[in-house]
Amino acid sequence: FLGRRYWKSELERKKRELHSTDELLDRSNTDRQTVNRLLDSKHAQLENANDLLDQKNNQLQTTNDQLAQKNVALLAANHALDRSNEDLQLAMTKLTEKNTELTEFTYIASHDLQEPVRKMISFGQLLREDAGNNLPQIAQEDLSRIVDAANRMNCLIQDLLRLSRTGAAAMRNEN
């Protein structure tokens, strides 16, 4: 009888252990299923993230291609701008040369014109002194007009001389 009881209690203990192990296995299976569901969910999220990443990579590639095209266009525009700047520099050099020539011409021409104008003024004044009141009134008025015009021309020539000196000084300052 004692042996039976022992075996019966041993059997009960083993049943409890087995039942406890079954519960543990059930919980483990439930946990495994939960983990699998979470893994499936994370896997789906990763696939979505990969798809989104692929889209962004495609967009970036398109943008890079567009930027490369714009870069080529900008390089061509810069090259054209450099050529235009060289042309402009050449034109400015030629213009400076022409301005120098014009300034020299203005100086020479105005200097050379001074002598005839001075003579017109001097001879007009001498004629007025020599003839005095012997000239008819209309001739005296004409003589006054000649001297006045010569004085105005002399002022213009002096202005041209000042302008040529100013232009030459400005060009020396620029250089």
Side-chain angles (χ1 to χ4, degrees):
F1 176 79
L2 202 51
R4 219 180 195 192
R5 217 179 202 200
Y6 168 77
W7 286 114
K8 192 173 184 181
S9 79
E10 194 59 32
L11 183 62
E12 283 299 319
R13 190 179 63 76
K14 291 288 183 185
K15 278 184 183 180
R16 280 191 307 271
E17 281 181 14
L18 188 58
H19 183 63
S20 176
T21 302
D22 282 345
E23 286 177 355
L24 203 70
L25 283 174
D26 285 345
R27 269 188 267 140
S28 176
N29 282 336
T30 303
D31 288 347
R32 185 178 295 129
Q33 289 171 350
T34 302
V35 167
N36 283 338
R37 279 194 303 273
L38 284 173
L39 285 174
D40 289 345
S41 171
K42 293 299 178 186
H43 182 72
Q45 289 175 353
L46 282 174
E47 285 181 358
N48 288 339
N50 276 337
D51 290 344
L52 185 60
L53 189 59
D54 287 343
Q55 289 174 356
K56 292 298 179 184
N57 279 336
N58 289 338
Q59 289 173 351
L60 281 175
Q61 185 59 45
T62 301
T63 302
N64 281 341
D65 292 345
Q66 291 170 348
L67 286 174
Q69 290 173 352
K70 288 180 181 181
N71 194 26
V72 168
L74 282 174
L75 287 174
N78 278 341
H79 185 65
L81 185 60
D82 288 344
R83 281 193 315 259
S84 294
N85 282 338
E86 290 170 2
D87 293 346
L88 181 61
Q89 189 63 39
L90 180 63
M92 286 179 61
T93 301
K94 287 180 180 178
L95 181 61
T96 301
E97 291 170 1
K98 292 297 180 186
N99 280 341
T100 302
E101 290 173 10
L102 183 60
T103 300
E104 290 171 359
F105 172 77
T106 303
Y107 179 77
I108 292 169
S110 58
H111 192 271
D112 289 348
L113 288 174
Q114 277 185 326
E115 182 60 27
V117 169
R118 277 196 298 260
K119 286 194 182 205
M120 287 173 59
I121 294 170
S122 295
F123 284 122
Q125 290 170 345
L126 286 174
L127 183 60
R128 184 179 288 148
E129 289 173 11
D130 290 345
N133 291 335
N134 294 338
L135 286 175
Q137 182 64 30
I138 195 151
Q140 287 180 10
E141 289 173 7
D142 289 342
L143 184 58
S144 290
R145 285 189 191 111
I146 290 171
V147 171
D148 288 344
N151 281 325
R152 284 194 310 274
M153 184 178 280
N154 192 39
C155 286
L156 290 172
I157 291 170
Q158 292 299 320
D159 289 344
L160 278 174
L161 274 171
R162 277 193 292 278
L163 178 65
S164 70
R165 288 183 193 126
T166 302
M171 282 190 270
R172 280 191 299 272
N173 289 339
E174 286 178 7
N175 291 336

